[in-house]
Amino acid sequence: MRYVSTRGAWSATPQPFCAVLLEGLAPDGGLAVPQAYPRFTPAELDALRPASYADLALAIVERFCDDIPRDDLARLVRATYTAEAFGSPTITPLTVLEPGLALLHVSNGPTLAFKDIALQWLGNLFEYVLAREGRTVNIVGATSGDTGSAAEHALKGRHGVAVFMLSPHGRMSAFQRAQMYSLTDANVHNLAIEGTFDDCQDIVKAINGDAAFKARYAIGAVNSINWGRIVAQVVYYFSGYFQATRGNGEAVDFAVPSGNFGNILSAYVARELGLPVRRLILATNENDVLDEFFRSGRYRPRSAAETHITSSPSMDIAKASNFERFVFDVVGRDPAVVRALWAELARDGGFDLAGTRHWAAVQAAGFVSSRSTHADRLATIRAVDERYGVTIDPHTADGVKAALELRDPEVTTVCVETALPAKFGATILEALGHEPSRPAAFVGLEARPQRCTVLPVDAARVKAYIEEHAAAA
Ligand SMILES: *Cc1c(COP(=O)(O)O)cnc(C)c1O
């Protein structure tokens, strides 16, 4: 399996998996995509049905990472997907809420959000690839919550890696702060920036824009466009499908709370691999860039000023960074068309596929979408609590709202639980009148000692800090 860029780079020299793993964007600004999707036959799918999560993961990732010896991959997935790390031997168990409606629990990892599934594996993979190649990497990112803590928990204590995570000083919840700042590993650096999340992102951009600095300190990222993350997430769609069905090619619909289009892209890839997935129900909150696209064909990223701060904050996005991978497929995998569309986007602020020769391919891809408000989230959290006795978090509520609205009684709808309610106590309190319960390991989290370095909004100061604390080989 080799990889090309959505904008045409590497077409003549497709890259192996390990080469794209540590890259952010391709040199032409595009995203890495496989040259073709491998395909599982119905017989191969049946054979995978009884597999453990780690064996299922191996069967899927080995098709995408064939430049890593199979035995090594097997060791890496077995070290990652353990009952200790994810709370049960099933790793991503499924709860049937009622016949035809199920919840897939992909958020039982160390930071209680689905991002752990991919990032825990990437932590193991990075360490392995860096050791093999005798390299080091300094991961620099900005976070307003979930991604940063999942990345830190995945990379803490790893050889050859240091993490520098910028967060807005005093603007995260006490729980989120504690999740990150209570890590005391020497290679984890929490930099509390005296500014907003946008200031943090601007500093990360400035650091990546300094090519000499970037090369000298091997600056890397683990953001949502990382192809390794997309592949790792494909596995739980297989697992969820097997748990929700009995076989014979029975199809399901998946409902996915979406922001950067990473999680639902994995569901789309699962279907490309041959999994019988019928529709993909995409849920947004008030930040409805993707809902607008699937309803109208118009893709229009928002400005920072137009981006709402909502009670499902991990879906508060202005543009959907993984969306370009889907567009690449619907325009017939023609990088010239992708380049033209993104040039139009830069010039006019958006593009419109409705009425073009590509719209039929978008519709054939089987996406339907829905948008939620704060009031919808509260109502859905209450309804799920009353009807099924299950507490869901506000992001999952966006997905369940979409599922209830769009579900087809003929097909089982599997809603993906993207975080646990314990992370979003204030919204649960507002909806249900009481705080959510916490997994035992999180009781008293806020009281643990915390460590962070406060820095001004100044890229030069952050660079100086990185120079001083960069990863050693
Ligand atoms: C990151 C995140 C999302 C959005 O996922 P994408 O892959 O960006 O679409 C939804 N819910 C939660 C809880 C998240 O952390």
Short mmCIF file of all heavy atoms in Angstrom, two decimals, residues 113-115 146 257-263 314-315 395 418-419, ligand 1:
data_model
loop_
_atom_site.label_atom_id
_atom_site.label_comp_id
_atom_site.label_asym_id
_atom_site.label_seq_id
_atom_site.Cartn_x
_atom_site.Cartn_y
_atom_site.Cartn_z
N ALA A 113 -12.48 9.95 25.80
CA ALA A 113 -13.02 10.38 24.51
C ALA A 113 -12.48 9.43 23.44
O ALA A 113 -11.46 8.77 23.64
CB ALA A 113 -12.63 11.82 24.20
N PHE A 114 -13.16 9.37 22.30
CA PHE A 114 -12.81 8.37 21.28
C PHE A 114 -11.39 8.56 20.74
O PHE A 114 -10.81 7.63 20.18
CB PHE A 114 -13.82 8.40 20.12
CG PHE A 114 -13.62 9.50 19.11
CD1 PHE A 114 -12.82 9.29 18.00
CD2 PHE A 114 -14.21 10.74 19.28
CE1 PHE A 114 -12.61 10.30 17.05
CE2 PHE A 114 -14.01 11.75 18.35
CZ PHE A 114 -13.21 11.54 17.24
N LYS A 115 -10.83 9.76 20.92
CA LYS A 115 -9.50 10.02 20.35
C LYS A 115 -8.43 9.11 20.93
O LYS A 115 -7.40 8.87 20.29
CB LYS A 115 -9.15 11.49 20.54
CG LYS A 115 -10.06 12.37 19.69
CD LYS A 115 -9.76 13.84 19.77
CE LYS A 115 -10.58 14.62 18.77
NZ LYS A 115 -11.97 14.85 19.20
N ASP A 146 -10.04 18.17 24.41
CA ASP A 146 -9.90 16.72 24.21
C ASP A 146 -8.63 16.24 23.53
O ASP A 146 -7.99 15.29 23.98
CB ASP A 146 -11.07 16.20 23.37
CG ASP A 146 -12.35 16.11 24.18
OD1 ASP A 146 -12.26 16.22 25.41
OD2 ASP A 146 -13.41 15.93 23.56
N PRO A 257 -21.25 12.03 15.64
CA PRO A 257 -21.07 13.45 15.97
C PRO A 257 -19.78 13.95 15.32
O PRO A 257 -18.71 13.39 15.56
CB PRO A 257 -20.93 13.45 17.50
CG PRO A 257 -21.41 12.10 17.96
CD PRO A 257 -21.14 11.16 16.82
N SER A 258 -19.87 14.98 14.48
CA SER A 258 -18.72 15.32 13.64
C SER A 258 -18.23 16.76 13.80
O SER A 258 -19.00 17.66 14.07
CB SER A 258 -19.08 15.08 12.17
OG SER A 258 -19.31 13.69 11.96
N GLY A 259 -16.91 16.90 13.61
CA GLY A 259 -16.27 18.21 13.64
C GLY A 259 -15.34 18.30 12.44
O GLY A 259 -15.69 18.81 11.38
N ASN A 260 -14.14 17.74 12.61
CA ASN A 260 -13.15 17.80 11.54
C ASN A 260 -13.31 16.70 10.49
O ASN A 260 -12.46 16.52 9.63
CB ASN A 260 -11.74 17.74 12.12
CG ASN A 260 -11.27 19.13 12.49
OD1 ASN A 260 -11.46 20.07 11.72
ND2 ASN A 260 -10.67 19.26 13.66
N PHE A 261 -14.40 15.92 10.57
CA PHE A 261 -14.71 14.90 9.58
C PHE A 261 -13.75 13.71 9.65
O PHE A 261 -13.65 12.91 8.72
CB PHE A 261 -14.68 15.51 8.16
CG PHE A 261 -15.49 14.77 7.12
CD1 PHE A 261 -16.87 14.85 7.11
CD2 PHE A 261 -14.88 14.01 6.14
CE1 PHE A 261 -17.63 14.17 6.16
CE2 PHE A 261 -15.63 13.33 5.17
CZ PHE A 261 -17.00 13.41 5.18
N GLY A 262 -13.03 13.56 10.79
CA GLY A 262 -12.10 12.45 10.90
C GLY A 262 -12.80 11.14 11.24
O GLY A 262 -12.59 10.11 10.59
N ASN A 263 -13.65 11.20 12.28
CA ASN A 263 -14.32 10.00 12.76
C ASN A 263 -15.24 9.43 11.67
O ASN A 263 -15.19 8.24 11.35
CB ASN A 263 -15.11 10.38 14.02
CG ASN A 263 -15.53 9.18 14.83
OD1 ASN A 263 -15.29 8.04 14.45
ND2 ASN A 263 -16.19 9.45 15.94
N SER A 314 -16.03 20.06 21.36
CA SER A 314 -15.07 19.38 20.48
C SER A 314 -15.56 19.33 19.04
O SER A 314 -14.86 18.82 18.17
CB SER A 314 -14.78 17.97 21.01
OG SER A 314 -14.23 18.07 22.30
N MET A 315 -16.76 19.83 18.81
CA MET A 315 -17.28 19.92 17.43
C MET A 315 -17.35 21.38 16.97
O MET A 315 -17.96 21.66 15.93
CB MET A 315 -18.67 19.27 17.37
CG MET A 315 -18.62 17.77 17.65
SD MET A 315 -20.19 17.09 18.23
CE MET A 315 -21.21 17.33 16.78
N HIS A 395 -21.88 15.66 23.11
CA HIS A 395 -21.50 15.36 21.72
C HIS A 395 -22.28 14.16 21.20
O HIS A 395 -22.85 14.16 20.11
CB HIS A 395 -19.99 15.06 21.61
CG HIS A 395 -19.13 16.16 22.13
ND1 HIS A 395 -18.90 16.32 23.47
CD2 HIS A 395 -18.47 17.16 21.52
CE1 HIS A 395 -18.13 17.38 23.65
NE2 HIS A 395 -17.84 17.90 22.48
N THR A 418 -18.91 9.53 21.52
CA THR A 418 -17.57 10.09 21.30
C THR A 418 -16.89 10.59 22.56
O THR A 418 -15.69 10.91 22.53
CB THR A 418 -17.59 11.21 20.25
OG1 THR A 418 -18.56 12.18 20.64
CG2 THR A 418 -17.91 10.66 18.87
N ALA A 419 -17.62 10.70 23.68
CA ALA A 419 -16.98 11.06 24.96
C ALA A 419 -17.90 10.58 26.08
O ALA A 419 -19.07 10.31 25.86
CB ALA A 419 -16.77 12.56 25.08
C1 LIG B 1 -12.98 15.29 18.33
C2 LIG B 1 -14.38 15.04 18.79
C3 LIG B 1 -15.47 15.05 17.91
C4 LIG B 1 -15.33 15.38 16.43
O1 LIG B 1 -14.68 14.37 15.73
P1 LIG B 1 -14.06 14.63 14.25
O2 LIG B 1 -13.23 13.45 13.97
O3 LIG B 1 -13.27 15.91 14.38
O4 LIG B 1 -15.20 14.79 13.33
C5 LIG B 1 -16.74 14.75 18.40
N1 LIG B 1 -16.92 14.49 19.71
C6 LIG B 1 -15.90 14.49 20.60
C7 LIG B 1 -16.18 14.22 22.04
C8 LIG B 1 -14.59 14.76 20.18
O5 LIG B 1 -13.58 14.77 21.07
#
